[in-house]
Amino acid sequence: MNFPSKLIEEAVSEVAKLPGIGKKSALRIVLHMLKRPEKDVQSLATALVAVRTKTQYCKQCHNISDDELCGVCLSTKRDRSILCVVQDSRDVLAIENTGQFNGLYHVLGGIISPLEGISPSDLNIESLLSRLQSNTEVKEIILALSPTMEGDTTSFYLQKKLKPFGVKTSTIARGIPIGGDLEYADEITLGRSIVSRINYD
Amino acid sequence: MNFPSKLIEEAVSEVAKLPGIGKKSALRIVLHMLKRPEKDVQSLATALVAVRTKTQYCKQCHNISDDELCGVCLSTKRDRSILCVVQDSRDVLAIENTGQFNGLYHVLGGIISPLEGISPSDLNIESLLSRLQSNTEVKEIILALSPTMEGDTTSFYLQKKLKPFGVKTSTIARGIPIGGDLEYADEITLGRSIVSRINYD
């Protein structure tokens, strides 16, 4: 594209680096900026820089946090006997929004992926193990990773590492999504949903 | 959503104000920011603020410009006898990218839309007329507005206003898009494409 202005071109190329945003959407966003009051643009810019420079990760669970320990880890209302291991902070948010889990989290910061060069040592696995060593309260660990090749590999690796601690481990149920259509379910999911069927009584 | 951090929440709400970006994409973008080097985030923020504070509009055609007059208006290679009237700067970019137009532009800055409260006086129409008054070089005006209700209304209004100047006016062809399938074309477009058929000789 031939941009009419160097400034536009620079801004578009910066915005187009964001995930899920191509050149056309970037241009749309930049032209939208031109129409907004200057203080709106300033506050967007400030919020982005602030989030990058000031956000920390919880020392205990590695979730995003404004302070040394996150709100979940600090809360006195959470069940400290159950830990949910997730890939990243987005998953914590997603699970928190279900309102179905009241334990603590442990954010791995990724999953094992030889293709992307992510090995177990790149993840917060050591800190999970030392968390268990120093804390005998934990009775159950839920491995809430995506049911993909990488997620399953990571779950398998963690199961082996967690065995010596003698805590119960579990994983989230795989099955037909609620509202999903049997006809369109893939055969592996459908097969699993029959094998792990739920009794009515 | 219950965000684990106030900073994240603020950044997400700022990013979600951008066009075409919902809460989920905004969160994805903000979490992506956390993983980027600080200088990348800083340069995105700087580029956005710069584009808002430093961009100007060409005094002649109202296109986005780094200087008082835009590159197209300043160019000595453009045909000054033909003006293309468009809704906004994005359309200039789109037409420039076709490489099929070598004249000058006039950016209206919107189209007449009673529903959104945009009247002719909100658009750069007066400046188009005074541009014609002071300049007798212009021989043809192409009204390149979208073939929508508002676009057609604006074209109709402009035709009336331009009549006294005695310049030739035209509009972009309506028809079946290249690569489009006749079967899926709407009947109005298909009907128009038959009425305005192109002779082979």
Side-chain angles (χ1 to χ4, degrees), chain B residues 58 60-61 69-75 78 80 104-105 131:
Chain B
C58 172
Q60 182 166 271
C61 73
L69 284 174
C70 73
V72 174
C73 285
L74 283 175
S75 168
R78 312 285 301 206
R80 284 164 191 278
L104 302 185
Y105 292 93
R131 207 173 152 184

Side-chain angles (χ1 to χ4, degrees), chain A residues 126-155:
Chain A
E126 273 312 311
S127 70
L128 171 64
L129 302 180
S130 60
R131 208 173 152 183
L132 290 175
Q133 248 146 9
S134 62
N135 181 347
T136 50
E137 272 183 313
V138 181
K139 301 287 173 253
E140 180 176 353
I141 291 180
I142 306 175
L143 302 175
L145 304 173
S146 300
T148 57
M149 177 83 94
E150 287 89 357
D152 287 345
T153 307
T154 312
S155 291

Side-chain angles (χ1 to χ4, degrees), chain B residues 158-178:
Chain B
L158 287 172
Q159 275 174 60
K160 275 203 319 188
K161 285 280 183 187
L162 293 171
K163 208 156 218 172
F165 294 95
V167 290
K168 188 176 152 193
T169 54
S170 57
T171 186
I172 46 172
R174 283 87 167 86
I176 308 295
I178 289 160

Side-chain angles (χ1 to χ4, degrees), chain B residues 106-156:
Chain B
H106 192 87
V107 180
L108 292 179
I111 40 175
I112 299 171
S113 167
L115 273 178
E116 294 181 34
I118 302 171
S119 72
S121 61
D122 298 320
L123 308 178
N124 300 319
I125 293 177
E126 273 310 313
S127 70
L128 172 63
L129 303 180
S130 60
R131 207 173 152 184
L132 290 176
Q133 248 146 9
S134 63
N135 182 346
T136 49
E137 272 183 312
V138 180
K139 301 286 173 251
E140 180 176 356
I141 292 181
I142 306 175
L143 302 175
L145 304 173
S146 300
T148 57
M149 176 84 92
E150 287 89 355
D152 287 344
T153 307
T154 312
S155 291
F156 184 70

Side-chain angles (χ1 to χ4, degrees), chain A residues 94-177:
Chain A
I95 295 174
E96 281 297 285
N97 284 328
T98 67
Q100 298 291 325
F101 180 71
N102 193 38
L104 301 185
Y105 292 93
H106 192 86
V107 179
L108 292 180
I111 41 175
I112 299 171
S113 168
L115 273 178
E116 294 181 34
I118 302 171
S119 72
S121 61
D122 298 319
L123 308 177
N124 300 319
I125 293 177
E126 273 312 311
S127 70
L128 171 64
L129 302 180
S130 60
R131 208 173 152 183
L132 290 175
Q133 248 146 9
S134 62
N135 181 347
T136 50
E137 272 183 313
V138 181
K139 301 287 173 253
E140 180 176 353
I141 291 180
I142 306 175
L143 302 175
L145 304 173
S146 300
T148 57
M149 177 83 94
E150 287 89 357
D152 287 345
T153 307
T154 312
S155 291
F156 184 70
Y157 179 88
L158 286 173
Q159 275 175 60
K160 276 204 318 192
K161 284 281 182 185
L162 293 172
K163 210 157 216 172
F165 294 95
V167 291
K168 190 175 150 193
T169 54
S170 58
T171 187
I172 45 172
R174 282 88 166 89
I176 308 295

